[in-house]
Amino acid sequence: MRATVKDVARRAGVSPKTVSNVMNGIIPVSGATRTKVEQAILELDYVPNLSARGLRNGRSGVIALALPDLGTPYSAEIAHHIVEVAHEQGWIVQIEETGSDPQREHELMVRARSNLIDGLILNPVVLDESAVQVGVALPPVVLLGEVTQRLADRVFVDSFGAARDMTLALAQSGRRRIAVLGTTQGRGSAAAIQRTRGYEEALEILGIERDESLLIPCEKWTPQTAADALTAYLDSHPLPEALFCFTDSMAIGALSVLWKRGLRIPEDIAVAGFDDIADGRYAVPSLTTVSFDKRAIASEALRLLTERMVDRGHEQRVVSVDYNIVERDSTRT
Amino acid sequence: MRATVKDVARRAGVSPKTVSNVMNGIIPVSGATRTKVEQAILELDYVPNLSARGLRNGRSGVIALALPDLGTPYSAEIAHHIVEVAHEQGWIVQIEETGSDPQREHELMVRARSNLIDGLILNPVVLDESAVQVGVALPPVVLLGEVTQRLADRVFVDSFGAARDMTLALAQSGRRRIAVLGTTQGRGSAAAIQRTRGYEEALEILGIERDESLLIPCEKWTPQTAADALTAYLDSHPLPEALFCFTDSMAIGALSVLWKRGLRIPEDIAVAGFDDIADGRYAVPSLTTVSFDKRAIASEALRLLTERMVDRGHEQRVVSVDYNIVERDSTRT
């Protein structure tokens, strides 16, 4: 006969509650007690039937986290914080990758219906209305970052304001020819659109005329694509006084190109990024960036998601997480 | 009454098979058909009951992936490849973080019994016998990386051989005073032990006497801890001719310290890492490293895991993934 939690408790000489504390690992249990319980679990080959439990109360205890590419530093840091906060709250986290592909984002929204999950946290790149239509019958969804439409509860950093403030900061040392790297043409991500607008707003505040030739497109936001785009740009344009990259990852690719050309940073050209990823702090020189509390993004996303699980009917909520400009050696003169 | 897949197929005018192709997203479906099916799903509020299906055939379709810290570039790249390969094969991936904490690795092995998973891929740091004992009644487990004991099926890169070859490569330009950064004292990770031994083996081959003062301990392998350890070291020791960091992340922290001291790389000191993370390619200068195929690690891990699901009884398997030394500007003179 299959062992129950009571059998394990009896064999270990502890209460069933203690057995479940050892199993779920949330409430600390002394080492000696843990060993006794684990030994009893082993001897009785006890396997709790969580799957049946999940069906009984209609909850799986699982949330899904969908990101464009887990391998990029920004996504990895966000995933780390969400997994950490979710585990603290007793959630299991499933990972999905969308590869920044609108079709895969769309498919994910459809497939989310078929998975045994209680909620979905999605960092979309180009999510649009077609996904929303499917989304009405989805489990609770929280979106991370900028989106162009009101689709669901959302946690974001004000890309427009942050890009404006970074551009203003770059102009403080008298720099006027400020280029941006990462603008997109055609159907771009909401973040690209907002950051470009913030940059343009700053130019207006500064009384600097917008110069189309200082907008350097880069569809994919990776070090490699940024390095390629900047190399091509520098071959046919004069050197700007400052370069604001729309992500730190792009800035790291850009720094590598500038160094290889023997340019001094920030003397010849100042460089700034966005996201405050760990690698930016150790870049040569250390990278000026837009910083924000990634742990707060995770906590707020989990809070919105669990509130939505309890009450599907309330109005959509949007939480903005504060940012600040962190000045490091790449712009400090 | 609850809608079935047949109801959806009828409403969309397609076969039930086509509906399931749209839902699972693996076999491509034309855009027009997809739209019809999605519309029907929406109108009928169809939700397939995968959870009941999972209980019927005894499989959940879910594997767990446990890593020390998803936020570090190496873990993130490995996770990306595993999620990608797993999704291609139709698996859902749960993420667990162990925080490099032996207690949490241990807890995870216990808790894996209670989760609805078909298998576990674990990148352990200090897994030991106590976990194995618990492990005998676990779902199938595949370990990634070096471990000190034969605990389960395993995919790894030969740390000993790679560290030996990197040390030999650093010595080729006549460098003799080669320091290593990342040795551990007391209970270290198996990777630290193997890489230190490989370094010592190379010294023996080269006829260089081992100099204890060239082993720079660094318990945690992060840019910050590496920067701190190297700063303290340089304050009290002469500059080595080469610095072999046991991970690229540590090397990135080290480069930042060396630059701040005005040292030229590789002229004053050559620097090398291990892992070939994306950021190393864009480091200043680009980082010499031990490279290996991370996608192959993911494929092999999934292969071993699924084979173990089918046959729990066969002998433990160990798959070694090839490495090679990639020479970049940080050592090229």
Side-chain angles (χ1 to χ4, degrees), chain B residues 61 105 161 173 234 274 318 325 333:
Chain B
E105 289 185 348
S173 322
L234 293 177
F274 196 116
V318 177
I325 306 294
T333 41

Side-chain angles (χ1 to χ4, degrees), chain B residues 143-159:
Chain B
L143 302 179
L144 302 182
E146 306 280 355
V147 288
T148 43
Q149 295 140 323
R150 283 182 78 88
L151 306 175
D153 292 338
R154 181 160 72 91
V155 181
F156 78 112
V157 172
D158 176 8
S159 271

Side-chain angles (χ1 to χ4, degrees), chain A residues 22-25 34 38-39 41-42 45-52 55 62 69-73 76-77 79-80 83-84 87 92-97 103-104 106-107 110-111 113-116 133-137 223-224 227 252-253 255-256 259-260 279 281-284 286 329, chain B residues 22-25 34 38-39 41-42 45-52 55 62 69-73 76-77 79-80 83-84 87 92-97 103-104 106-107 110-111 113-116 133-137 223-224 227 252-253 255-256 259-260 279 281-284 286 329:
Chain A
V22 170
M23 298 296 295
N24 66 34
R34 174 179 301 281
E38 286 175 359
Q39 195 61 36
I41 287 170
L42 186 67
D45 193 21
Y46 168 66
V47 181
N49 194 344
L50 278 206
S51 134
L55 288 175
V62 178
D69 177 353
L70 200 52
T72 63
E77 290 187 15
H80 160 68
V83 167
E84 196 168 70
H87 284 178
I92 289 166
V93 180
Q94 272 179 17
I95 294 274
E96 302 277 349
E97 285 192 335
Q103 184 58 39
R104 282 175 67 180
H106 196 166
E107 281 172 15
V110 177
R111 287 170 54 204
R113 299 166 59 85
S114 71
N115 292 339
L116 189 61
Q133 286 198 337
V134 174
V136 291
Q224 181 65 58
I252 283 167
L255 286 176
S256 152
W259 273 105
K260 278 191 191 136
D279 294 320
R281 285 163 232 158
Y282 301 96
V284 177
S286 59
D329 294 341
Chain B
V22 170
M23 298 295 294
N24 67 34
R34 174 179 300 282
E38 286 175 358
Q39 195 60 37
I41 286 171
L42 184 68
D45 193 21
Y46 168 65
V47 181
N49 195 344
L50 276 207
S51 134
L55 288 175
V62 179
D69 178 353
L70 201 52
T72 63
E77 291 186 14
H80 160 68
V83 167
E84 196 168 70
H87 284 179
I92 289 167
V93 181
Q94 271 180 17
I95 293 275
E96 302 277 348
E97 285 192 336
Q103 184 58 38
R104 281 175 69 181
H106 197 167
E107 280 172 17
V110 176
R111 287 170 54 204
R113 299 167 59 86
S114 71
N115 293 339
L116 190 60
Q133 287 199 337
V134 174
V136 292
Q224 182 64 59
I252 283 167
L255 286 175
S256 151
W259 273 105
K260 279 192 190 135
D279 294 320
R281 284 162 234 161
Y282 302 96
V284 177
S286 59
D329 294 341

Side-chain angles (χ1 to χ4, degrees), chain B:
Chain B
M1 214 185 73
R2 194 173 164 145
T4 67
V5 66
K6 284 184 188 165
D7 299 329
V8 174
R10 200 174 307 122
R11 161 108 36 163
V14 301
S15 72
K17 179 76 191 137
T18 301
V19 174
S20 98
N21 287 345
V22 170
M23 298 295 294
N24 67 34
I26 293 166
I27 297 168
V29 174
S30 81
T33 303
R34 174 179 300 282
T35 304
K36 273 192 292 182
V37 171
E38 286 175 358
Q39 195 60 37
I41 286 171
L42 184 68
E43 286 164 10
L44 298 171
D45 193 21
Y46 168 65
V47 181
N49 195 344
L50 276 207
S51 134
R53 195 172 82 191
L55 288 175
R56 266 206 301 282
N57 67 15
R59 286 277 171 88
S60 62
V62 179
I63 59 170
L65 170 63
L67 297 159
D69 178 353
L70 201 52
T72 63
Y74 176 74
S75 281
E77 291 186 14
I78 288 289
H80 160 68
H81 289 290
I82 287 178
V83 167
E84 196 168 70
V85 173
H87 284 179
E88 284 167 13
Q89 300 181 8
W91 294 101
I92 289 167
V93 181
Q94 271 180 17
I95 293 275
E96 302 277 348
E97 285 192 336
T98 58
S100 303
D101 175 355
Q103 184 58 38
R104 281 175 69 181
E105 289 185 348
H106 197 167
E107 280 172 17
L108 172 70
M109 297 290 268
V110 176
R111 287 170 54 204
R113 299 167 59 86
S114 71
N115 293 339
L116 190 60
I117 59 169
D118 294 336
L120 169 66
I121 297 176
L122 171 64
N123 181 3
V125 171
V126 280
L127 202 66
D128 64 10
E129 273 180 21
S130 63
V132 203
Q133 287 199 337
V134 174
V136 292
L138 279 174
V141 174
V142 171
L143 302 179
L144 302 182
E146 306 280 355
V147 288
T148 43
Q149 295 140 323
R150 283 182 78 88
L151 306 175
D153 292 338
R154 181 160 72 91
V155 181
F156 78 112
V157 172
D158 176 8
S159 271
F160 173 85
R164 179 197 58 216
D165 293 354
M166 178 58 88
T167 308
L168 294 174
L170 287 169
Q172 269 180 354
S173 322
R175 299 180 190 105
R176 309 274 297 177
R177 298 191 59 258
I178 301 168
V180 282
L181 177 60
T183 62
T184 49
Q185 285 158 335
R187 186 190 189 185
S189 76
I193 293 165
Q194 291 301 323
R195 290 173 199 184
T196 305
R197 284 190 194 145
Y199 161 73
E200 291 167 341
E201 166 89 358
L203 294 185
E204 208 164 302
I205 293 169
L206 294 162
I208 299 175
E209 204 176 332
R210 182 178 179 283
D211 176 353
E212 182 72 32
S213 78
L214 290 170
L215 277 69
I216 311 174
C218 189
E219 299 289 331
K220 266 192 83 182
W221 288 1
T222 69
Q224 182 64 59
T225 52
D228 293 346
L230 184 61
T231 299
Y233 181 83
L234 293 177
D235 286 343
S236 54
H237 293 80
L239 191 68
E241 293 168 87
L243 178 66
F244 172 24
C245 304
F246 282 172
T247 65
D248 281 4
S249 278
M250 284 196 284
I252 283 167
L255 286 175
S256 151
V257 167
L258 296 170
W259 273 105
K260 279 192 190 135
R261 299 196 166 215
L263 295 164
R264 293 166 307 157
I265 303 157
E267 294 83 355
D268 296 328
I269 179 171
V271 177
F274 196 116
D275 287 341
D276 195 12
I277 62 173
D279 294 320
R281 284 162 234 161
Y282 302 96
V284 177
S286 59
L287 186 63
T288 292
T289 192
V290 176
S291 181
F292 43 90
D293 183 347
K294 298 188 188 80
R295 168 107 185 165
I297 291 181
S299 308
E300 289 297 319
L302 263 297
R303 184 176 65 78
L304 292 181
L305 195 67
T306 47
E307 287 177 7
R308 180 64 65 186
M309 288 175 196
V310 175
D311 173 13
R312 298 296 297 264
H314 63 247
E315 274 203 7
Q316 277 177 21
R317 292 178 185 162
V318 177
V319 173
S320 153
V321 169
D322 286 346
Y323 63 85
N324 63 304
I325 306 294
V326 176
E327 207 188 346
R328 300 205 186 98
D329 294 341
S330 68
T331 61
R332 206 180 273 142
T333 41

Side-chain angles (χ1 to χ4, degrees), chain A residues 259-273:
Chain A
W259 273 105
K260 278 191 191 136
R261 298 196 168 216
L263 295 164
R264 291 165 309 155
I265 304 156
E267 293 82 356
D268 296 329
I269 178 169
V271 177

